[in-house]
Amino acid sequence: MRVAVGAITRRRPEGLGRLLESFARMQRPEGAEIAFLLCENDDESRVAEVVDAFRGAVPEPVELMLEPRKGIPYARNRVLGAAMAQGFDFLTFVDDDEVVEPDWLVRMLEAMDARGLDLAAGPVLPVAPPEPLTGLQLMVLNQLRQRSQRRDVERARTVGVDDDGGVEAFTGNWCLRLAAARRTGVTSFDEQTAESGGEDSAFSLAMRRAGARIGWVPEAIAEETQPAMRLSLFYVYRRIRDQERNKMLLKDRSVAKRLWFVFQRSLEMLVVGAVLPVVVLSRPEQGRKLMFNATRKAGQIAGAFGSVFGLRSRHYAASADRLHVEQNPGSGEVVAK
């Protein structure tokens, strides 16, 4: 069994370093031949030293590719293409702001084998950044954690009833059987999503439509550090808005269905707006949760309504770079090592 452990990165040398350290510590599945396929999405390498240090710490081959075309799907396709060309059986992805549990790869591959999965995903648990957080940032982080936990419990139920197939597999914690990709003809990520994001949702949906078996692996755990800059209600709104735009396009919802969705969420927002001041004053903890949920609903409304007029997500456009790359604390400058 040959396994390519993949990751892409863009101007996150510290995050990538933490991820690679977790790769170095992780258990190796018995009988597996492992190689690490990394791709830097930039016009020049800023992580070569980080990767060289990792290369010296592990016995397996480590390949670093450079993809100058800016966009997540371009970098993912470089890794996917390399894994297929080199004859690997499985390809995994985790993000460069995550770390994996020591048994992550063992658990993922055990599930792929035991359940005959073609594509799988596992939990990504939000964790705090190292710097101190404000009360509002802590509230957002706690709400993200709670939502993540509820979603993971719901997905884990599909395993208990042997209901693989309906789970959406996100590349934050992801494993693909490459023979299944060849069989279904789903052999690349949609490069038209370079600015919008959602390339993993589109890939997962295409696999499902082609009859692939897609499952959730609750034991294969990764953790994602949440940058303080993104622990804001504005970012929550922006992310949900952009995700909703992607969802409406991917699922090809009719205009009538989109407007009905907007109408439903708007009614819910009216109810929330009416009770929010009272709840915030009388039950602060519930009030914070309600405020977070109201922000999410506002993002859903804006995203669905905008999609009616052809507005697309630009979540990863150049103008949003500062939200997705590391910065020197206090300077606002992008870290470049």
Side-chain angles (χ1 to χ4, degrees):
M1 178 172 60
R2 301 187 65 223
V3 182
V5 177
I8 66 171
T9 187
R10 176 176 168 78
R11 303 189 184 187
R12 290 178 178 170
E14 293 179 8
L16 179 65
R18 290 191 292 270
L19 171 62
L20 296 182
E21 286 174 6
S22 73
F23 282 163
R25 294 191 301 267
M26 75 182 181
Q27 300 165 13
R28 270 51 175 174
E30 187 175 351
E33 178 188 336
I34 294 173
F36 296 94
L37 299 183
L38 313 175
C39 183
E40 187 171 3
N41 189 205
D42 214 335
D43 51 3
E44 62 177 325
S45 181
R46 292 171 165 83
V47 298
E49 291 182 10
V50 174
V51 174
D52 284 344
F54 174 63
R55 190 176 282 118
V58 296
E60 296 90 0
V62 179
E63 181 178 352
L64 175 62
M65 296 166 272
L66 190 67
E67 174 51 67
R69 294 175 298 170
K70 182 181 178 298
I72 291 172
Y74 298 122
R76 292 211 190 281
N77 281 337
R78 282 292 299 275
V79 175
L80 176 54
M84 296 187 74
Q86 295 175 36
F88 285 95
D89 300 302
F90 295 95
L91 169 65
T92 69
F93 272 124
V94 289
D95 289 341
D96 62 350
D97 53 0
E98 297 175 8
V99 298
V100 297
E101 290 291 302
D103 63 349
W104 164 74
L105 186 59
V106 171
R107 297 294 191 182
M108 184 67 83
L109 293 175
E110 283 178 349
M112 294 287 288
D113 180 55
R115 291 156 54 192
L117 299 176
D118 298 315
L119 180 63
V124 179
L125 308 179
V127 298
E131 65 263 37
L133 299 177
T134 66
L136 180 60
Q137 289 171 329
L138 283 170
M139 181 274 285
V140 172
L141 177 62
N142 288 335
Q143 291 303 317
L144 290 173
R145 284 174 172 166
Q146 291 177 26
R147 285 192 59 83
S148 175
Q149 290 166 355
R150 288 196 300 271
R151 185 173 59 245
D152 292 349
V153 168
E154 290 171 2
R155 289 171 175 168
R157 290 196 186 103
T158 66
V159 180
V161 297
D162 191 25
D163 188 28
D164 292 324
V167 174
E168 190 170 350
F170 299 112
T171 42
N173 186 354
W174 185 92
C175 184
L176 172 67
R177 188 186 299 271
L178 292 171
R182 294 186 182 93
R183 184 185 75 244
T184 59
V186 185
T187 56
S188 65
F189 292 91
D190 183 357
E191 293 181 349
Q192 293 184 32
T193 64
E195 284 196 344
S196 66
E199 77 291 337
D200 46 3
S201 295
F203 192 99
S204 182
L205 182 59
M207 289 285 287
R208 186 191 309 168
R209 287 172 173 167
R213 188 174 177 88
I214 305 174
W216 181 251
V217 186
E219 305 85 4
I221 298 171
E223 293 183 344
E224 179 185 21
T225 300
Q226 302 294 308
M229 181 182 293
R230 300 211 302 252
L231 292 173
S232 70
L233 291 176
F234 170 75
Y235 185 78
V236 170
Y237 165 83
R238 175 194 174 105
R239 184 172 179 82
I240 297 301
R241 179 200 65 192
D242 293 345
Q243 288 176 341
E244 203 61 49
R245 287 177 180 174
N246 286 340
K247 187 187 301 182
M248 293 294 170
L249 290 171
L250 278 175
K251 297 186 176 180
D252 197 23
R253 296 273 173 83
S254 67
V255 171
K257 287 184 177 180
R258 297 183 199 192
L259 291 175
W260 177 244
F261 178 86
V262 170
F263 177 72
Q264 289 177 307
R265 289 295 179 270
S266 297
L267 287 180
E268 293 170 4
M269 275 291 291
L270 287 174
V271 174
V272 170
V275 302
L276 185 59
V278 177
V279 176
V280 167
L281 291 174
S282 61
R283 302 177 63 186
E285 185 173 343
Q286 287 298 108
R288 288 191 289 270
K289 182 177 180 180
L290 201 59
M291 189 184 307
F292 180 85
N293 289 336
T295 302
R296 284 181 52 82
K297 289 184 189 300
Q300 289 177 323
I301 293 167
F305 191 65
S307 73
V308 172
F309 300 97
L311 296 181
R312 299 179 65 93
S313 165
R314 301 189 71 244
H315 197 76
Y316 294 102
S319 58
D321 244 12
R322 65 184 186 85
L323 294 170
H324 305 292
V325 300
E326 290 172 0
Q327 296 181 337
N328 283 327
S331 72
E333 293 297 322
V334 173
V335 173
K337 293 186 179 179

